[in-house]
Amino acid sequence: MLEIWGRPYSSNVIPVIWTANELGLDYTLQLAGGSFGKLDTPEYAQINPNRMIPAIRDGDFALWESLSIVRYLCDRYGAGGFSPADQQIRAIADQWMEWSATKAFMPVIYLFFATVRTQPADRDPAKIVALRDEAHATLSILDGHLEDRDYVCGNSFTMGDIPLGCVVYRYFNVDVDRPALHNVEAWYQRLSERPAYRDHVMRHFGTNPDEWAALEKACASEGVI
Ligand SMILES: N[C@@H](CCC(=O)N[C@@H](CS)C(=O)NCC(=O)O)C(=O)O
C-alpha cells in the first residue's frame, strides 16, 4: 500500500495528502517531522536523504519533493484526468505548479509564520502588511488568469490546481485584511465544494503557535488518515 510520510499540518505535505484523497488511493500516513520526529532514522534516510517531509513509498519505489510526488501520483493514478493527456494542457498545469512553488508559496508561508506561528505580542504589523501586499500582488496574476476559466487549465480540475489551492487556503484564513481577488475567491469556493479539499486542506490551523501545536499534536490520535 502507498505510504505517505509527513504531518497533515505541513504546507508541503498537504498537497500530497489532498492528491491521494482526490485520486481515491488507499494509503497509510506515517506521522513524521516536527514533533513526530522519525526523520533521523536510517530507515527514513533510505526514503529521503534530505530528511525532510513529505516523501512516499509506493511498493519498492520511493520519492520526495512534494510537487514531484503530486505529479507522480496524478500521472500514475490519474492519467488523462488530473494529469491531462494533452501535452500542452499538461504543460499549463505544470506551469502553475512551478509558479506556485517559486512565486506564490513564499509570501503566503511567510505571512502565515508572521501571524499564526508568531505569538501575538511578538508580531510585527509592518512586516505583516508588507507580506500581505506581496501575496496580494502575486495572487493578482492568478486572478487575471482565472477571469475566463473555472480552473487553472480551463473547465476541469487538474493537478495544476493542487499546490495553489493549498496556498490560497492559508492566504484566505490568516487573520489579516485582504483586498478582494474576485476570481481567486470564486475558484476557492469551487475547490471548497470538493470533499477531499474540505477534509485535508481546510483544516483549522489555529490563531497562534500554541493552538497550532495543539492541533497538530491532536492529529496523532487520528491514526491512519
Ligand atoms: N521542497 C520540499 C520542501 C520540504 C520541506 O521544507 N519540508 C519541511 C516541512 S514543510 C520539513 O521537512 N521540515 C522538517 C520537519 O517538518 O521536521 C518539498 O516541497 O517537498
Side-chain angles (χ1 to χ4, degrees):
M1 188 192 291
L2 178 70
E3 275 176 11
I4 300 175
W5 290 69
R7 48 195 170 83
Y9 279 82
S10 154
S11 50
N12 289 305
V13 176
I14 292 168
V16 172
I17 294 179
W18 179 22
T19 302
N21 282 277
E22 282 287 353
L23 291 166
L25 303 179
D26 275 339
Y27 67 94
T28 54
L29 180 68
Q30 305 290 339
L31 284 169
S35 61
F36 302 111
K38 298 186 202 157
L39 304 185
D40 286 330
T41 63
E43 184 194 10
Y44 195 69
Q46 298 291 317
I47 302 173
N48 186 354
N50 301 288
R51 300 186 184 281
M52 301 198 97
I53 49 166
I56 61 162
R57 209 156 41 183
D58 192 10
D60 292 337
F61 177 71
L63 191 66
W64 39 269
E65 279 298 331
S66 56
L67 300 192
S68 298
I69 297 170
V70 170
R71 288 184 190 93
Y72 164 76
L73 293 176
C74 291
D75 287 345
R76 186 167 167 92
Y77 301 108
F82 296 164
S83 172
D86 182 287
Q87 287 178 348
Q88 291 183 344
I89 298 175
R90 190 187 186 286
I92 296 292
D94 203 35
Q95 166 191 278
W96 286 103
M97 294 173 79
E98 288 291 314
W99 185 83
S100 180
T102 58
K103 293 292 283 183
F105 182 88
M106 283 306 174
V108 173
I109 201 75
Y110 288 142
L111 181 62
F112 181 74
F113 270 84
T115 53
V116 175
R117 302 292 301 274
T118 301
Q119 293 294 358
D122 298 332
R123 290 180 192 167
D124 175 347
K127 180 177 168 187
I128 290 170
V129 167
L131 288 166
R132 188 274 320 269
D133 288 349
E134 190 185 341
H136 176 78
T138 304
L139 291 172
S140 296
I141 295 169
L142 176 64
D143 202 63
H145 179 70
L146 291 171
E147 176 78 45
D148 51 6
R149 41 181 80 74
D150 285 350
Y151 298 98
V152 302
C153 286
N155 291 329
S156 305
F157 175 85
T158 67
M159 65 184 183
D161 296 287
I162 290 178
L164 284 167
C166 299
V167 166
V168 159
Y169 174 69
R170 291 211 168 171
Y171 179 63
F172 283 151
N173 289 280
V174 291
D175 186 20
V176 294
D177 292 331
R178 281 170 296 270
L181 284 169
H182 295 295
N183 302 317
V184 175
E185 283 157 18
W187 169 74
Y188 171 63
Q189 283 306 317
R190 282 190 282 282
L191 296 182
S192 65
E193 286 158 19
R194 307 182 75 85
Y197 186 76
R198 281 204 302 277
D199 290 349
H200 299 283
V201 182
M202 299 178 78
R203 283 174 173 271
H204 176 55
F205 47 61
T207 60
N208 61 54
D210 301 325
E211 285 180 15
W212 187 90
L215 285 162
E216 180 169 77
K217 264 239 168 321
C219 70
S221 59
E222 291 176 26
V224 175
I225 297 181

